[in-house]
Amino acid sequence: MARNMIRANRHIFSKLVEFVEESDVSVEQPDAIRYIKTDDEGKKWLKELKALDRDRYPYPILPMLKVSSIEFDEKEYFVIVGWETSISFIEILNQVPLNAGLATALLSDLDIPVRQGSDPFSIVDEVLFQYGRDKTDPSYSGHDFNDIVKFFEPFYVYEIRDDSPLRGDDLFRIAGYAVCQYSDHIFLSFSPETIRKFKKMFLEGVSNIPYENLLLSLTAIHWKFSFLDIYRCLECLFPIVSLDELYQNIGCSISLLELSIEIEERIKWWPKEAEAINKLIDGASPDVRELLREVKNSLVGDTEGKKFDFFYEIRNSIVHYRPGTRTYTLNQENWDKLIKGGLAVIEYWYKRYDSSLKPGGSAGMEMRCDVKKRIVP
């Protein structure tokens, strides 16, 4: 459906009027017509630009940071709202200049707020005093979009390159990659190595990684919340690693993921989390295990034991508030190591079980049985 140009312009200018009124600056508001002037190409952008995912248009990452993916003329674009500086995305994106139609569509659709600290008197003088009495008023031909955009929070548009490994529907991955490029704006003091790990996973990781959780981990405002989203990515793997041996022994016509879902729904079985965590960490590389042992030694003074129960216990200390729950106090260095180690475990196991995590696949197993019939009498 084509975008209504009148409604879009009305929304934009009403936000400026509201901002001025809320600033206790009085200005006479006669019946007025205001709009951003556009040429034929701009009108095409304004009418035909569409969201690739309406449910995530826009997607809020932080209070002043939103991202979106859009499509126009069979090309896909990524939009980032709320940070001042544009940057280069050499591998996947090329910045494109704004035009009047594109700016009008995004200001309206994304409900971009008026820039904090804007001078209401400047808005009155430079915008609101210019208007038309009616559609044929010869004294008014519309506002230049640059004169309007400067009063709103900054936003930038990037075309997704044809040779990019990511597409417009990879919104969380592109957003995570973008945030890594804006690492100075990240709240938590991740080490450069951890930022590089995040960036590599967003760009090169397998498709089934829960990238929204990685994005939320990267942009968290507290270490414990960052860790919890890493843990959630691992949590999805608990039944997979716990049921793998059974799956290999019986063979079936459904994927390992579907088997785990059936068992959970039909017989209410869940794996023991501490055992699953230990299995995941044990299967990772020696470097990852050594990194997590360093954290363990710092917390409990144990470098010899092979168990990594502390990883699970840290999670419990965050989500539970029971008297018997052990609490841990981690410094910034240990939080960073814990998250970096968790990222490596996620990367290894999701790659290993990539086909098994796709519904409908059987990971190369022969169709020797019907699991649903075996589980449900």
Side-chain angles (χ1 to χ4, degrees), residues 298-317:
S298 177
L299 296 178
V300 299
D302 179 7
T303 58
E304 299 300 325
K306 296 182 179 181
K307 293 289 187 179
F308 293 95
D309 292 19
F310 81 97
F311 199 99
Y312 171 63
E313 292 167 357
I314 290 173
R315 175 262 185 193
N316 285 350
S317 71

PDB file of all heavy atoms in Angstrom, residues 298-317:
ATOM      1  N   SER A 298      39.584 -17.481  39.985  1.00  0.00           N
ATOM      2  CA  SER A 298      39.428 -16.179  40.619  1.00  0.00           C
ATOM      3  C   SER A 298      38.252 -16.161  41.593  1.00  0.00           C
ATOM      4  O   SER A 298      38.312 -15.494  42.633  1.00  0.00           O
ATOM      5  CB  SER A 298      39.227 -15.107  39.540  1.00  0.00           C
ATOM      6  OG  SER A 298      38.998 -13.852  40.111  1.00  0.00           O
ATOM      7  N   LEU A 299      37.204 -16.935  41.263  1.00  0.00           N
ATOM      8  CA  LEU A 299      36.001 -16.912  42.088  1.00  0.00           C
ATOM      9  C   LEU A 299      36.046 -17.903  43.242  1.00  0.00           C
ATOM     10  O   LEU A 299      35.607 -17.595  44.357  1.00  0.00           O
ATOM     11  CB  LEU A 299      34.776 -17.203  41.220  1.00  0.00           C
ATOM     12  CG  LEU A 299      34.447 -16.184  40.119  1.00  0.00           C
ATOM     13  CD1 LEU A 299      33.239 -16.646  39.328  1.00  0.00           C
ATOM     14  CD2 LEU A 299      34.196 -14.808  40.716  1.00  0.00           C
ATOM     15  N   VAL A 300      36.529 -19.113  42.971  1.00  0.00           N
ATOM     16  CA  VAL A 300      36.466 -20.164  43.995  1.00  0.00           C
ATOM     17  C   VAL A 300      37.816 -20.767  44.325  1.00  0.00           C
ATOM     18  O   VAL A 300      37.910 -21.688  45.138  1.00  0.00           O
ATOM     19  CB  VAL A 300      35.492 -21.288  43.559  1.00  0.00           C
ATOM     20  CG1 VAL A 300      34.097 -20.734  43.384  1.00  0.00           C
ATOM     21  CG2 VAL A 300      35.962 -21.969  42.286  1.00  0.00           C
ATOM     22  N   GLY A 301      38.905 -20.274  43.691  1.00  0.00           N
ATOM     23  CA  GLY A 301      40.232 -20.753  44.000  1.00  0.00           C
ATOM     24  C   GLY A 301      40.470 -22.193  43.616  1.00  0.00           C
ATOM     25  O   GLY A 301      41.148 -22.924  44.343  1.00  0.00           O
ATOM     26  N   ASP A 302      39.920 -22.620  42.479  1.00  0.00           N
ATOM     27  CA  ASP A 302      40.046 -24.019  42.064  1.00  0.00           C
ATOM     28  C   ASP A 302      40.473 -24.069  40.608  1.00  0.00           C
ATOM     29  O   ASP A 302      39.721 -23.685  39.713  1.00  0.00           O
ATOM     30  CB  ASP A 302      38.705 -24.742  42.253  1.00  0.00           C
ATOM     31  CG  ASP A 302      38.766 -26.201  41.805  1.00  0.00           C
ATOM     32  OD1 ASP A 302      39.859 -26.680  41.489  1.00  0.00           O
ATOM     33  OD2 ASP A 302      37.700 -26.843  41.788  1.00  0.00           O
ATOM     34  N   THR A 303      41.688 -24.517  40.364  1.00  0.00           N
ATOM     35  CA  THR A 303      42.166 -24.652  38.980  1.00  0.00           C
ATOM     36  C   THR A 303      42.250 -26.102  38.549  1.00  0.00           C
ATOM     37  O   THR A 303      42.434 -26.396  37.364  1.00  0.00           O
ATOM     38  CB  THR A 303      43.572 -24.026  38.828  1.00  0.00           C
ATOM     39  OG1 THR A 303      44.469 -24.669  39.738  1.00  0.00           O
ATOM     40  CG2 THR A 303      43.528 -22.542  39.091  1.00  0.00           C
ATOM     41  N   GLU A 304      42.134 -27.027  39.493  1.00  0.00           N
ATOM     42  CA  GLU A 304      42.336 -28.439  39.185  1.00  0.00           C
ATOM     43  C   GLU A 304      41.046 -29.113  38.711  1.00  0.00           C
ATOM     44  O   GLU A 304      41.058 -29.949  37.821  1.00  0.00           O
ATOM     45  CB  GLU A 304      42.879 -29.169  40.417  1.00  0.00           C
ATOM     46  CG  GLU A 304      44.216 -28.631  40.903  1.00  0.00           C
ATOM     47  CD  GLU A 304      45.308 -28.722  39.861  1.00  0.00           C
ATOM     48  OE1 GLU A 304      45.300 -29.695  39.085  1.00  0.00           O
ATOM     49  OE2 GLU A 304      46.162 -27.822  39.814  1.00  0.00           O
ATOM     50  N   GLY A 305      39.920 -28.768  39.356  1.00  0.00           N
ATOM     51  CA  GLY A 305      38.676 -29.445  39.032  1.00  0.00           C
ATOM     52  C   GLY A 305      38.244 -29.198  37.595  1.00  0.00           C
ATOM     53  O   GLY A 305      38.482 -28.137  37.026  1.00  0.00           O
ATOM     54  N   LYS A 306      37.622 -30.201  37.002  1.00  0.00           N
ATOM     55  CA  LYS A 306      37.183 -30.094  35.625  1.00  0.00           C
ATOM     56  C   LYS A 306      35.759 -29.581  35.500  1.00  0.00           C
ATOM     57  O   LYS A 306      35.303 -29.282  34.402  1.00  0.00           O
ATOM     58  CB  LYS A 306      37.302 -31.464  34.945  1.00  0.00           C
ATOM     59  CG  LYS A 306      38.730 -31.981  34.837  1.00  0.00           C
ATOM     60  CD  LYS A 306      38.766 -33.314  34.121  1.00  0.00           C
ATOM     61  CE  LYS A 306      40.207 -33.813  33.995  1.00  0.00           C
ATOM     62  NZ  LYS A 306      40.275 -35.114  33.285  1.00  0.00           N
ATOM     63  N   LYS A 307      35.055 -29.497  36.586  1.00  0.00           N
ATOM     64  CA  LYS A 307      33.662 -29.083  36.538  1.00  0.00           C
ATOM     65  C   LYS A 307      33.540 -27.571  36.333  1.00  0.00           C
ATOM     66  O   LYS A 307      34.351 -26.787  36.830  1.00  0.00           O
ATOM     67  CB  LYS A 307      32.956 -29.479  37.837  1.00  0.00           C
ATOM     68  CG  LYS A 307      32.803 -30.978  38.034  1.00  0.00           C
ATOM     69  CD  LYS A 307      31.765 -31.546  37.066  1.00  0.00           C
ATOM     70  CE  LYS A 307      31.485 -33.005  37.365  1.00  0.00           C
ATOM     71  NZ  LYS A 307      30.452 -33.563  36.447  1.00  0.00           N
ATOM     72  N   PHE A 308      32.503 -27.195  35.595  1.00  0.00           N
ATOM     73  CA  PHE A 308      32.241 -25.782  35.356  1.00  0.00           C
ATOM     74  C   PHE A 308      30.866 -25.405  35.895  1.00  0.00           C
ATOM     75  O   PHE A 308      30.156 -24.588  35.304  1.00  0.00           O
ATOM     76  CB  PHE A 308      32.329 -25.483  33.855  1.00  0.00           C
ATOM     77  CG  PHE A 308      33.714 -25.632  33.291  1.00  0.00           C
ATOM     78  CD1 PHE A 308      34.108 -26.827  32.697  1.00  0.00           C
ATOM     79  CD2 PHE A 308      34.626 -24.592  33.365  1.00  0.00           C
ATOM     80  CE1 PHE A 308      35.385 -26.970  32.180  1.00  0.00           C
ATOM     81  CE2 PHE A 308      35.905 -24.729  32.852  1.00  0.00           C
ATOM     82  CZ  PHE A 308      36.289 -25.924  32.262  1.00  0.00           C
ATOM     83  N   ASP A 309      30.502 -26.000  37.031  1.00  0.00           N
ATOM     84  CA  ASP A 309      29.202 -25.708  37.624  1.00  0.00           C
ATOM     85  C   ASP A 309      29.053 -24.221  37.959  1.00  0.00           C
ATOM     86  O   ASP A 309      27.929 -23.702  38.003  1.00  0.00           O
ATOM     87  CB  ASP A 309      29.018 -26.523  38.915  1.00  0.00           C
ATOM     88  CG  ASP A 309      28.885 -28.022  38.644  1.00  0.00           C
ATOM     89  OD1 ASP A 309      29.289 -28.462  37.557  1.00  0.00           O
ATOM     90  OD2 ASP A 309      28.384 -28.740  39.522  1.00  0.00           O
ATOM     91  N   PHE A 310      30.160 -23.551  38.209  1.00  0.00           N
ATOM     92  CA  PHE A 310      30.090 -22.138  38.592  1.00  0.00           C
ATOM     93  C   PHE A 310      29.395 -21.306  37.526  1.00  0.00           C
ATOM     94  O   PHE A 310      28.743 -20.299  37.821  1.00  0.00           O
ATOM     95  CB  PHE A 310      31.500 -21.581  38.865  1.00  0.00           C
ATOM     96  CG  PHE A 310      32.257 -21.188  37.630  1.00  0.00           C
ATOM     97  CD1 PHE A 310      32.286 -19.868  37.204  1.00  0.00           C
ATOM     98  CD2 PHE A 310      32.936 -22.146  36.872  1.00  0.00           C
ATOM     99  CE1 PHE A 310      32.976 -19.505  36.061  1.00  0.00           C
ATOM    100  CE2 PHE A 310      33.619 -21.789  35.743  1.00  0.00           C
ATOM    101  CZ  PHE A 310      33.646 -20.463  35.321  1.00  0.00           C
ATOM    102  N   PHE A 311      29.508 -21.710  36.257  1.00  0.00           N
ATOM    103  CA  PHE A 311      28.866 -20.997  35.156  1.00  0.00           C
ATOM    104  C   PHE A 311      27.347 -21.007  35.354  1.00  0.00           C
ATOM    105  O   PHE A 311      26.673 -19.970  35.230  1.00  0.00           O
ATOM    106  CB  PHE A 311      29.241 -21.676  33.834  1.00  0.00           C
ATOM    107  CG  PHE A 311      29.036 -20.828  32.616  1.00  0.00           C
ATOM    108  CD1 PHE A 311      30.096 -20.155  32.027  1.00  0.00           C
ATOM    109  CD2 PHE A 311      27.783 -20.715  32.024  1.00  0.00           C
ATOM    110  CE1 PHE A 311      29.912 -19.383  30.882  1.00  0.00           C
ATOM    111  CE2 PHE A 311      27.584 -19.950  30.890  1.00  0.00           C
ATOM    112  CZ  PHE A 311      28.654 -19.284  30.317  1.00  0.00           C
ATOM    113  N   TYR A 312      26.825 -22.168  35.695  1.00  0.00           N
ATOM    114  CA  TYR A 312      25.396 -22.319  35.973  1.00  0.00           C
ATOM    115  C   TYR A 312      25.016 -21.605  37.260  1.00  0.00           C
ATOM    116  O   TYR A 312      23.943 -20.981  37.362  1.00  0.00           O
ATOM    117  CB  TYR A 312      25.049 -23.800  36.042  1.00  0.00           C
ATOM    118  CG  TYR A 312      23.666 -24.129  36.536  1.00  0.00           C
ATOM    119  CD1 TYR A 312      22.536 -23.712  35.832  1.00  0.00           C
ATOM    120  CD2 TYR A 312      23.488 -24.877  37.702  1.00  0.00           C
ATOM    121  CE1 TYR A 312      21.260 -24.025  36.283  1.00  0.00           C
ATOM    122  CE2 TYR A 312      22.213 -25.199  38.153  1.00  0.00           C
ATOM    123  CZ  TYR A 312      21.109 -24.774  37.439  1.00  0.00           C
ATOM    124  OH  TYR A 312      19.840 -25.081  37.883  1.00  0.00           O
ATOM    125  N   GLU A 313      25.895 -21.663  38.260  1.00  0.00           N
ATOM    126  CA  GLU A 313      25.598 -21.038  39.549  1.00  0.00           C
ATOM    127  C   GLU A 313      25.561 -19.512  39.444  1.00  0.00           C
ATOM    128  O   GLU A 313      24.793 -18.853  40.158  1.00  0.00           O
ATOM    129  CB  GLU A 313      26.625 -21.479  40.586  1.00  0.00           C
ATOM    130  CG  GLU A 313      26.504 -22.964  40.951  1.00  0.00           C
ATOM    131  CD  GLU A 313      27.693 -23.476  41.739  1.00  0.00           C
ATOM    132  OE1 GLU A 313      28.645 -22.685  41.960  1.00  0.00           O
ATOM    133  OE2 GLU A 313      27.684 -24.651  42.148  1.00  0.00           O
ATOM    134  N   ILE A 314      26.386 -18.946  38.554  1.00  0.00           N
ATOM    135  CA  ILE A 314      26.335 -17.497  38.350  1.00  0.00           C
ATOM    136  C   ILE A 314      24.983 -17.110  37.786  1.00  0.00           C
ATOM    137  O   ILE A 314      24.371 -16.116  38.197  1.00  0.00           O
ATOM    138  CB  ILE A 314      27.477 -17.049  37.406  1.00  0.00           C
ATOM    139  CG1 ILE A 314      28.821 -17.187  38.116  1.00  0.00           C
ATOM    140  CG2 ILE A 314      27.263 -15.609  36.946  1.00  0.00           C
ATOM    141  CD1 ILE A 314      30.015 -16.923  37.226  1.00  0.00           C
ATOM    142  N   ARG A 315      24.502 -17.910  36.841  1.00  0.00           N
ATOM    143  CA  ARG A 315      23.167 -17.653  36.283  1.00  0.00           C
ATOM    144  C   ARG A 315      22.121 -17.684  37.380  1.00  0.00           C
ATOM    145  O   ARG A 315      21.238 -16.819  37.469  1.00  0.00           O
ATOM    146  CB  ARG A 315      22.881 -18.670  35.193  1.00  0.00           C
ATOM    147  CG  ARG A 315      21.472 -18.594  34.607  1.00  0.00           C
ATOM    148  CD  ARG A 315      20.571 -19.623  35.252  1.00  0.00           C
ATOM    149  NE  ARG A 315      19.249 -19.664  34.642  1.00  0.00           N
ATOM    150  CZ  ARG A 315      18.219 -20.291  35.160  1.00  0.00           C
ATOM    151  NH1 ARG A 315      18.347 -20.936  36.304  1.00  0.00           N
ATOM    152  NH2 ARG A 315      17.047 -20.298  34.543  1.00  0.00           N
ATOM    153  N   ASN A 316      22.168 -18.702  38.255  1.00  0.00           N
ATOM    154  CA  ASN A 316      21.190 -18.821  39.335  1.00  0.00           C
ATOM    155  C   ASN A 316      21.249 -17.635  40.291  1.00  0.00           C
ATOM    156  O   ASN A 316      20.225 -17.166  40.783  1.00  0.00           O
ATOM    157  CB  ASN A 316      21.425 -20.115  40.116  1.00  0.00           C
ATOM    158  CG  ASN A 316      20.950 -21.337  39.363  1.00  0.00           C
ATOM    159  OD1 ASN A 316      20.277 -21.224  38.346  1.00  0.00           O
ATOM    160  ND2 ASN A 316      21.323 -22.515  39.843  1.00  0.00           N
ATOM    161  N   SER A 317      22.461 -17.164  40.545  1.00  0.00           N
ATOM    162  CA  SER A 317      22.596 -16.048  41.479  1.00  0.00           C
ATOM    163  C   SER A 317      21.979 -14.765  40.930  1.00  0.00           C
ATOM    164  O   SER A 317      21.646 -13.858  41.693  1.00  0.00           O
ATOM    165  CB  SER A 317      24.076 -15.815  41.804  1.00  0.00           C
ATOM    166  OG  SER A 317      24.776 -15.275  40.694  1.00  0.00           O
TER     167      SER A 317
END
